[in-house]
Amino acid sequence: MSTHPPLSPAKRWLGLVLIATAQFVVIMDTSIIGVALPDIQKDLGFTPESLSWVFNAYVVAFGGLLLLGGRLSDVFGARKIFALGWIILIAGSLLAGAANSVGLEIAGRAIQGAGSALIAPAALTLLMMLFGGTSDLPKAFAVYGAAAPIGGTAGVFLGGVLTEYASWPWVFYVTIPIAVFVLAFTATSLPRTVKKASGSIDVAGALTVTGGLAAVVYAVVKAPEVGWLTVPTLSILAGGLVLLVIFFIIQARSRNPLMRLGLLRAPLLGAANGAQLLLGAAWVSMWFFLNLYLQQVLGATAFAAGAALLPMTGLVVLVMIAWAPRLQGRFGAKSLIVSGLLLLAAGLVWLSFVRPDGNYAVDVLPASLLAALGMSLAFVPSLGTAINAAPPAETGVASGLVSTSYQIGSALGLAVLTAIVYGISGTDPSRVELTQGYSAAFIGAGILALAGAVITGFAMKKSRSSTPAADESVSV
């Protein structure tokens, strides 16, 4: 894909600001609804079991369409798809904020997810176009990587402020002025690419992977309500798995697949995507249930619950920008990913000791900081490893794949743990029963992080044995 003359240094760094803002907003939109969930549930009539779909509708659409977003970026040009994604995100934000029913709310969240699915892979492709092959690439990756967890934790705080002092629709409307700002500078600060002469869009692949993922998540979310071994649960789950099998068959036979299956054989790519999948499952589940614990058990207001997680944001910024790149240069990607996931697991196990009559300083703050430290160490190395493991011509698809892994890990992890929480606490739980459910969720998330550390350590060791310089070659 050819490009026009390079941008000036000042515009390159402004371009990085836009790209980091994209990552910030894409992840913020998954977390900003956390503290608003009780108000959304009350006003729109969500049941406790279905409430997670305010999150899952976004994440399933996002994760299911990310590969399509990456393919569109490679075929039509990253900048065009980047801008289109923001326009769709604005439309979804307007609908989600104005919704007056469960159905409209879920539809608005799904449209937001579709817009983000175009933005995320295009943003990573644009970052590589701006900084690939330069000495500034590690710094650019650190800024981009930090924007994700910052967006997650800052979204919690912003959601608290807006819910407390305005109303819950503003957790969706706040995205709109940010989108307008990014669109205003996209044409002048991001590189323009020329459309490929050949290339088609695998619509069937996009539909089957999105439908399959949605069906699997829906079956897991509904299982506690209707039963795990009932006909509805098993049939929906089977239908989702069949759609995913069809997706892989389509990819194997298509001349222009959404995801070339040979890409999965790239050294380290599978290991890095596995790390992102389990990292997303553990981290996103943690903040989702930690928010609910703060509000529903400790009685914190929406604003106080958001403010309670601000220390994590500060630690994430410090570690990702100041420490992680240096530590990776010294110890390698594998060491940071494994140690980060282990620290995250330890923080989650610590959180599992929360009490019905607990307090923030003892039950939440130390454990959440340890978990944030682990996430900060693991995120950027696993992201950079996945992107650099793919051929340059398939950066967009690789970007979509690694983002898909993180988001679908988030959706499936949250779906499973939500089922566990309400299976333990019941439909009308007391504070004690809620605490027992949330404690089980933290243990489950800790197990996912621990599994990520073990699997990543083994997979990256195996990959490195076949490519001796693998660990060094992916340093960002």
Side-chain angles (χ1 to χ4, degrees):
M1 185 175 287
S2 60
T3 63
H4 284 259
L7 298 168
S8 67
K11 287 193 174 181
R12 283 174 64 229
W13 290 107
L14 178 56
L16 178 61
V17 169
L18 301 182
I19 291 167
T21 300
Q23 176 74 334
F24 175 89
V25 168
V26 161
I27 303 302
M28 180 188 75
D29 278 345
T30 67
S31 68
I32 196 169
I33 52 93
V35 294
L37 286 174
D39 286 356
I40 294 173
Q41 179 181 0
K42 179 181 177 181
D43 288 352
L44 299 185
F46 280 92
T47 65
E49 295 84 3
S50 67
L51 186 60
S52 65
W53 275 97
V54 181
F55 172 84
N56 283 332
Y58 177 90
V59 172
V60 170
F62 185 14
L65 294 172
L66 273 164
L67 290 176
L68 177 62
R71 177 64 177 161
L72 289 171
S73 178
D74 287 339
V75 172
F76 293 107
R79 196 176 77 178
K80 290 180 181 178
I81 301 305
F82 184 78
L84 177 61
W86 283 104
I87 294 169
I88 295 173
L89 183 60
I90 289 172
S93 299
L94 286 169
L95 179 58
N100 58 7
S101 68
V102 168
L104 285 177
E105 184 61 45
I106 291 176
R109 289 292 283 165
I111 293 171
Q112 280 189 308
S116 294
L118 301 185
I119 293 169
L124 267 174
T125 299
L126 289 165
L127 184 147
M128 294 301 294
M129 291 171 62
L130 286 172
F131 295 96
T134 72
S135 60
D136 290 324
L137 182 61
K139 186 184 297 183
F141 254 118
V143 171
Y144 176 85
I150 292 171
T153 50
V156 171
F157 174 72
L158 188 57
V161 172
L162 293 171
T163 303
E164 184 82 7
Y165 296 108
S167 58
W168 65 259
W170 284 98
V171 303
F172 304 114
Y173 294 149
V174 71
T175 299
I176 297 172
I178 301 174
V180 172
F181 163 78
V182 172
L183 287 170
F185 291 96
T186 292
T188 57
S189 301
L190 293 174
R192 183 159 66 95
T193 51
V194 178
K195 177 182 174 181
K196 284 184 177 179
S198 62
S200 60
I201 305 304
D202 182 9
V203 176
L207 292 175
T208 52
V209 71
T210 304
L213 291 170
V216 170
V217 174
Y218 182 79
V220 174
V221 170
K222 294 291 289 183
E225 182 180 339
V226 301
W228 285 94
L229 298 179
T230 60
V231 172
T233 298
L234 294 178
S235 59
I236 294 172
L237 185 60
L241 294 175
V242 168
L243 285 173
L244 292 177
V245 170
I246 293 173
F247 165 72
F248 281 103
I249 293 173
I250 292 172
Q251 302 315 288
R253 295 182 176 180
S254 175
R255 293 181 60 184
N256 293 291
L258 200 62
M259 178 185 69
R260 184 175 59 85
L261 295 185
L263 183 64
L264 298 177
R265 293 194 294 269
L268 299 172
L269 188 64
N273 275 278
Q276 283 275 312
L277 185 143
L278 290 167
L279 182 63
W283 175 256
V284 171
S285 297
M286 183 199 81
W287 70 252
F288 184 89
F289 292 113
L290 193 53
N291 273 304
L292 294 179
Y293 170 74
L294 288 167
Q295 291 190 70
Q296 297 181 349
V297 176
L298 297 189
T301 64
F303 174 78
L309 301 184
L310 274 182
M312 288 201 300
T313 305
L315 183 62
V316 165
V317 173
L318 177 64
V319 174
M320 280 204 167
I321 295 179
W323 294 353
R326 280 189 248 170
L327 290 172
Q328 185 175 338
R330 182 173 180 182
F331 298 107
K334 175 187 154 186
S335 297
L336 251 66
I337 297 170
V338 172
S339 61
L341 285 165
L342 288 174
L343 288 172
L344 176 57
L348 285 160
V349 171
W350 193 348
L351 277 172
S352 72
F353 291 99
V354 291
R355 300 165 295 163
D357 58 347
N359 64 75
Y360 170 70
V362 174
D363 294 83
V364 175
L365 181 60
S368 66
L369 289 176
L370 180 61
L373 173 62
M375 200 283 187
S376 303
L377 292 176
F379 186 86
V380 172
S382 56
L383 177 70
T385 297
I387 299 301
N388 284 287
E394 294 179 295
T395 300
V397 173
S399 302
L401 182 60
V402 69
S403 297
T404 299
S405 297
Y406 183 86
Q407 296 300 330
I408 292 305
S410 302
L412 291 177
L414 182 58
V416 170
L417 295 177
T418 297
I420 291 173
V421 167
Y422 292 107
I424 292 173
S425 63
T427 56
D428 187 22
S430 66
R431 288 201 313 163
V432 172
E433 291 167 331
L434 273 175
T435 303
Q436 291 172 344
Y438 296 150
S439 176
F442 294 137
I443 291 175
I447 292 171
L448 291 173
L450 179 61
V454 173
I455 293 170
T456 301
F458 175 78
M460 292 192 76
K461 180 179 180 180
K462 184 176 180 181
S463 296
R464 192 176 182 184
S465 66
S466 61
T467 55
D471 199 54
E472 291 78 6
S473 67
V474 297
S475 178
V476 297

